[in-house]
Amino acid sequence: MSKRSVSLVVLLAALCGAYELNKSDQPPTAADGGDAHETCESDWHVCKSAEDLIEHNRKVSFYRASCKIKANETAEYGPPEWQKGFGIYPFSSYFAGDDIKALGIVLIEDHALVPNKFGGKERSRISCHYDLAKDEVSEVMITPLASMR
């Protein structure tokens, strides 16, 4: 991946993170259920589950961007081609485990086209394990969807 591509991905991640942070400048009120998730918004330790974290934590955009960067670096024959479109972002699915404190979170992308050794591209599932305690991607697995049947 070129330095320009890396810079663009990092800039995009920063902008997404800034948007997520600015969007929550006003504290949630009890009327919109804010009190229940106010602390999960800024501290993953108090999130009750992966769903709670994905729905309420400010750093989710950062986790997704980190997974995309690591997947681009991990793919053996070149970076994946990511789904494009309004409102579509990589790793929009996740494993709904409850023990995020011990296991972290697993973000999933099923719409990436990953280059293969024959010069083609295969639709693949990319699973990204994000270790919340270490604040880093710990593993990325790329599995062609055709091999999952």
Side-chain angles (χ1 to χ4, degrees):
M1 181 161 61
S2 71
K3 289 182 182 180
R4 184 174 183 201
S5 296
V6 171
S7 297
L8 185 57
V9 170
V10 170
L11 176 63
L12 182 58
L15 289 174
C16 288
Y19 171 75
E20 290 294 321
L21 290 173
N22 288 336
K23 154 172 122 167
S24 60
D25 282 343
Q26 297 300 319
T29 64
D32 55 307
D35 288 343
H37 302 289
E38 189 172 63
T39 52
C40 177
E41 184 178 301
S42 59
D43 182 3
W44 67 268
H45 294 91
V46 295
C47 297
K48 296 179 180 91
S49 65
E51 181 180 11
D52 193 21
L53 179 103
I54 296 296
E55 294 296 322
H56 302 105
N57 192 273
R58 293 179 188 174
K59 285 189 71 177
V60 171
S61 295
F62 175 78
Y63 303 148
R64 288 181 173 129
S66 298
C67 285
K68 182 176 178 180
I69 291 167
K70 189 68 166 182
N72 284 342
E73 295 169 354
T74 302
E76 187 174 3
Y77 300 103
E81 182 179 309
W82 302 95
Q83 183 79 13
K84 296 176 183 153
F86 180 75
I88 298 173
Y89 44 85
F91 299 100
S92 56
S93 298
Y94 59 94
F95 175 72
D98 289 335
D99 195 3
I100 62 171
K101 291 167 184 66
L103 303 175
I105 56 171
V106 177
L107 299 174
I108 300 168
E109 175 56 55
D110 281 334
H111 301 287
L113 295 175
V114 179
N116 61 28
K117 64 183 174 184
F118 304 109
K121 294 182 180 181
E122 298 176 285
R123 188 165 163 225
S124 301
R125 170 172 287 163
I126 303 176
S127 301
C128 175
H129 178 251
Y130 197 93
D131 186 324
L132 296 167
K134 293 181 181 176
D135 199 24
E136 65 184 19
V137 174
S138 62
E139 180 182 22
V140 169
M141 288 180 41
I142 300 174
T143 309
L145 288 175
S147 69
M148 297 178 74
R149 293 181 186 170

